[in-house]
Amino acid sequence: MAGNLTARKVETAKAGKYSDGGNLYLIVGPTGARKWVLRFTWRGRAKEMGLGSAVNVPLVDAREKAADARRLIARGLNPIDERKRSDGVPTFGEMADSVRGSLSAGFRNEKHKAQWKSTLETYAASLRAKPVDTISTDDVLAALKPIWTTKAETASRVRGRIEKVLDAAKAKGFREGENPARWRGHLDHLLPKPSKLARGHHPAMAYEQLPAFIADLRLREATAALALEFCILTAARSGEVLGMLWSEIDFDKKTWTVPAKRMKAGRQHRVPLSSRAVAILRQLEKLKTSDFVFAGQKRNRPLSNMAMDMMLRRTKVGDVTVHGFRSSFRDWAGNVSSFPREIVETALAHVIGDKAEQAYRRSDALDKRRKLMEAWAAYCEPKTAANAVPIRRRKSH
């Protein structure tokens, strides 16, 4: 079918829209990018079907593709849907699973892999069955709005993961155009900024109540109770403690070296062990049956992620969380101790300062932190019954 365009015109046309007839158009962008588009009406609504780049698809082929599409329309078929069936455009769910599989080698632990999967399955469920090339800004907003103000941190992670999946789809040729989950210059005009949303805090026990709480823990003959006390005394994260191996312990130097792959900041962290922390390890060493310090029921596996949480529930101290004890430590260090803030932050394995400052800060101040952790352990040591303070719960900040 002869049209209005010529091969020469296709190559030299400046920015604009050019009709070849039969609703086939050459679209030339401001940067000179050229693409073919077929316009048609489907069930009363205007549609556009991309037929490829004019650089790769010559005029004669574009006309043939347009003719094939028009024949499908005449038979009552949507050419866009038919192409998806033949080209194998994946759904968002299929693409998300593929991306997670590709990225999993770089994840720090199994928990991170599980979270990547579960957050998208839970909060982006409305997207999973949609072909990746049909997902729009409205679709993304429909997934994010229900949790954007109530679960701010989770919502922010979900948005980033949706963006990554759609970027991967574009890289594989399944999508064109801008990413509808992009934040800067797009969703930041449609949703409140995350910094202005109330962040979720981990409920924490007031540090004054810790001696009485630890006294209660020591009455419970369970590995989970020892793990929880050790977690409190080292101000470590639960994943760092539960994954701890005997090979990471140096009893002579009283240190525990956590490898980078188990640290949130992705860098090795040395932990000075207080006398009580060492005593806990010596107690477990006598019962050693696994490479893991806090061994679980399954052979050569650690305690489950829920073990310390369940121990907390059994102590009936309200909705206190394991992570919240890090806040208890920080509050004690700031309100009671005289240790410098940077020593406390280093003990919490927080990254301090910008990259330039980090380059100069080569020492991890182990000796100073050892004094800090001994002072913390001494504070947490159970007092006499007469001086014990009833346990109550407060929110961390």
Side-chain angles (χ1 to χ4, degrees), residues 24 49 54 58 76 103 141 179 208 231 256 265 273 284 303 306 330 386-387 396:
L24 174 63
M49 179 180 181
L103 297 178
L141 288 173
N179 192 320
E208 298 93 340
C231 194
W256 163 35
L273 299 173
L284 290 166
L303 287 174
M306 291 298 295
R330 185 175 54 196
N387 296 328
S396 68

Side-chain angles (χ1 to χ4, degrees), residues 3 11 29 35 46 66 78 82 106 134 177 181 191 198 204 219 266 301-302 316 322 331 361 368:
E11 291 178 1
K35 65 180 180 179
N78 185 328
E82 293 304 306
T134 67
L191 293 168
L219 296 176
R301 294 292 298 169
K316 298 180 180 180
V322 176
D331 290 345
R361 193 187 297 276
K368 292 180 180 179

Side-chain angles (χ1 to χ4, degrees), residues 148-274:
W148 192 254
T149 57
T150 57
K151 298 180 179 180
E153 291 187 72
T154 297
S156 183
R157 292 191 185 102
V158 171
R159 185 211 60 77
R161 289 165 185 170
I162 293 173
E163 181 180 23
K164 191 175 289 292
V165 171
L166 296 182
D167 274 344
K170 183 176 180 179
K172 288 182 175 290
F174 297 130
R175 280 186 64 89
E176 295 180 354
E178 296 296 332
N179 192 320
R182 190 182 77 251
W183 176 253
R184 189 180 299 277
H186 186 54
L187 291 183
D188 60 349
H189 298 304
L190 303 172
L191 293 168
K193 292 183 179 179
S195 60
K196 293 185 178 181
L197 301 175
R199 295 285 178 174
H201 295 303
H202 297 276
M205 182 179 294
Y207 57 80
E208 298 93 340
Q209 318 308 317
L210 273 169
F213 175 72
I214 288 180
D216 183 23
L217 277 184
R218 291 185 187 175
L219 296 176
R220 301 172 185 272
E221 296 182 0
T223 302
L226 291 173
L228 183 52
E229 183 180 353
F230 186 87
C231 194
I232 293 169
L233 294 176
T234 54
R237 297 178 179 89
S238 58
E240 296 159 12
V241 171
L242 294 176
M244 182 167 58
L245 301 173
W246 285 109
S247 58
E248 297 169 6
I249 307 300
D250 186 329
F251 281 109
D252 292 334
K253 295 181 179 179
K254 293 186 178 181
T255 58
W256 163 35
T257 302
V258 190
K261 65 181 180 181
R262 255 194 0 265
M263 294 301 300
K264 185 176 181 179
R267 60 180 64 179
Q268 179 180 287
H269 179 57
R270 289 196 301 170
V271 181
L273 299 173
S274 65

Side-chain angles (χ1 to χ4, degrees), residues 6-289:
T6 64
R8 177 64 177 166
K9 180 69 172 177
V10 171
E11 291 178 1
T12 60
K14 296 181 179 180
K17 179 175 66 177
Y18 303 89
S19 172
D20 187 56
N23 289 327
L24 174 63
Y25 292 88
L26 170 69
I27 309 295
V28 182
T31 62
R34 300 158 194 276
K35 65 180 180 179
W36 296 109
V37 171
L38 177 69
R39 292 184 172 179
F40 64 98
T41 301
W42 182 255
R43 295 178 181 174
R45 300 185 66 178
K47 297 285 186 180
E48 284 191 355
M49 179 180 181
L51 300 180
S53 165
V55 175
N56 301 319
V57 180
L59 176 58
V60 64
D61 290 347
R63 287 171 175 167
E64 185 176 338
K65 286 186 174 187
D68 289 341
R70 284 191 289 267
R71 282 190 284 270
L72 288 172
I73 295 169
R75 291 166 50 196
L77 299 173
N78 185 328
I80 296 176
D81 292 341
E82 293 304 306
R83 183 172 64 182
K84 287 173 188 172
R85 292 193 182 96
S86 62
D87 289 353
V89 175
T91 64
F92 178 86
E94 291 168 341
M95 196 71 217
D97 293 342
S98 174
V99 171
R100 183 176 62 88
S102 300
L103 297 178
S104 62
F107 290 156
R108 285 187 295 273
N109 51 51
E110 292 299 322
K111 184 177 181 180
H112 192 187
K113 293 181 187 179
Q115 286 176 339
W116 218 94
K117 180 181 180 182
S118 65
T119 52
L120 287 180
E121 288 183 344
T122 301
Y123 301 112
S126 59
L127 303 179
R128 288 192 66 83
K130 293 180 180 290
V132 287
D133 63 337
T134 67
I135 292 174
S136 65
T137 299
D138 287 341
D139 296 324
V140 175
L141 288 173
L144 295 178
K145 280 185 174 180
I147 59 172
W148 192 254
T149 57
T150 57
K151 298 180 179 180
E153 291 187 72
T154 297
S156 183
R157 292 191 185 102
V158 171
R159 185 211 60 77
R161 289 165 185 170
I162 293 173
E163 181 180 23
K164 191 175 289 292
V165 171
L166 296 182
D167 274 344
K170 183 176 180 179
K172 288 182 175 290
F174 297 130
R175 280 186 64 89
E176 295 180 354
E178 296 296 332
N179 192 320
R182 190 182 77 251
W183 176 253
R184 189 180 299 277
H186 186 54
L187 291 183
D188 60 349
H189 298 304
L190 303 172
L191 293 168
K193 292 183 179 179
S195 60
K196 293 185 178 181
L197 301 175
R199 295 285 178 174
H201 295 303
H202 297 276
M205 182 179 294
Y207 57 80
E208 298 93 340
Q209 318 308 317
L210 273 169
F213 175 72
I214 288 180
D216 183 23
L217 277 184
R218 291 185 187 175
L219 296 176
R220 301 172 185 272
E221 296 182 0
T223 302
L226 291 173
L228 183 52
E229 183 180 353
F230 186 87
C231 194
I232 293 169
L233 294 176
T234 54
R237 297 178 179 89
S238 58
E240 296 159 12
V241 171
L242 294 176
M244 182 167 58
L245 301 173
W246 285 109
S247 58
E248 297 169 6
I249 307 300
D250 186 329
F251 281 109
D252 292 334
K253 295 181 179 179
K254 293 186 178 181
T255 58
W256 163 35
T257 302
V258 190
K261 65 181 180 181
R262 255 194 0 265
M263 294 301 300
K264 185 176 181 179
R267 60 180 64 179
Q268 179 180 287
H269 179 57
R270 289 196 301 170
V271 181
L273 299 173
S274 65
S275 298
R276 172 56 188 168
V278 171
I280 291 173
L281 296 178
R282 288 299 190 189
Q283 181 178 343
L284 290 166
E285 189 181 30
K286 297 175 182 178
L287 307 171
K288 183 178 177 181
T289 60

